[in-house]
């Protein structure tokens, strides 16, 4: 099996097309990698693929809905999160998310900046907006 963890998103989309014979859904790289691996395991073990495709559809729908939620925050909304004893504050602007004097396109980018690892920003800041 090839190592897909170092592939870029375009290569992963091409791999998806090769294996699954459908255009790749609009999901992030890590989710696509996970689903490609699951697909390969299901095929090799002759598991039914219908539940796999239903899961992809559900995930894609939820991902799209969450993306819409992110842009729906009102200007001035603040997210406050304590992490490892430090308090972090993010403010929603028309241009994006203001964090420590810089504007970011997503809460996920800020969560990654804070933690050093990939996070879903809405989950990281969930329930912590002021």
């Amino acid at each position: 099996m090839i190592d897909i963890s170092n592939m870029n998103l375009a290569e992963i989309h091409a791999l998806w097309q090769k294996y699954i014979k459908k255009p790749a859904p609009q999901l992030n790289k890590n989710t696509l990698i996970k689903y490609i691996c699951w697909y390969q395991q299901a095929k090799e073990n002759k598991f039914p693929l219908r539940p796999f495709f239903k899961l992809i559809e559900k995930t894609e729908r939820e991902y799209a809905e969450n993306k819409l939620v992110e842009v729906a925050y009102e200007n001035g909304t603040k997210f406050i999160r304590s992490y490892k004893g430090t308090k972090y504050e993010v403010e929603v602007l028309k241009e994006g998310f203001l964090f420590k004097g810089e504007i970011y396109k997503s809460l996920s980018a800020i969560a990654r900046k804070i933690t050093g690892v990939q996070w879903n920003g809405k989950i990281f800041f969930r329930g912590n907006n002021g």
Side-chain angles (χ1 to χ4, degrees):
M1 187 160 140
I2 59 174
D3 178 19
I4 61 176
S5 61
N6 292 321
M7 290 182 167
N8 65 38
L9 192 56
E11 292 169 326
I12 291 169
H13 279 223
L15 190 62
W16 182 281
Q17 181 74 37
K18 177 183 172 186
Y19 286 136
I20 301 171
K21 309 286 191 257
K22 293 182 178 186
Q26 296 302 308
L27 300 171
N28 66 46
K29 177 182 172 179
N30 291 334
T31 303
L32 289 171
I33 289 171
K34 177 174 65 173
Y35 284 163
I36 288 170
C37 292
W38 287 356
Y39 178 82
Q40 288 175 323
Q41 291 169 345
K43 286 281 279 192
E44 288 170 11
N45 292 293
K46 296 182 172 64
F47 291 138
L49 295 175
R50 184 178 172 137
F52 169 80
F53 288 113
K54 283 194 172 286
L55 178 63
I56 291 170
E57 289 171 12
K58 179 179 182 256
T59 304
E60 191 172 23
R61 242 186 348 267
E62 289 172 355
Y63 183 81
E65 288 168 7
N66 285 338
K67 284 180 82 171
L68 293 175
V69 168
E70 187 166 87
V71 294
Y73 297 129
E74 290 185 36
N75 279 348
T77 299
K78 291 190 179 181
F79 293 90
I80 300 167
R81 170 72 146 91
S82 289
Y83 180 76
K84 293 190 176 182
T86 303
K87 182 178 170 181
Y88 298 94
E89 187 173 310
V90 175
E91 182 178 354
V92 177
L93 303 175
K94 185 172 65 173
E95 305 81 25
F97 299 92
L98 180 64
F99 175 66
K100 291 189 172 186
E102 290 186 51
I103 295 176
Y104 292 80
K105 291 182 180 181
S106 71
L107 288 172
S108 296
I110 297 168
R112 183 177 189 149
K113 181 85 170 173
I114 292 168
T115 66
V117 295
Q118 187 63 44
W119 268 89
N120 177 311
K122 290 174 286 304
I123 291 172
F124 183 78
F125 287 101
R126 179 182 295 163
N128 294 299
N129 54 335

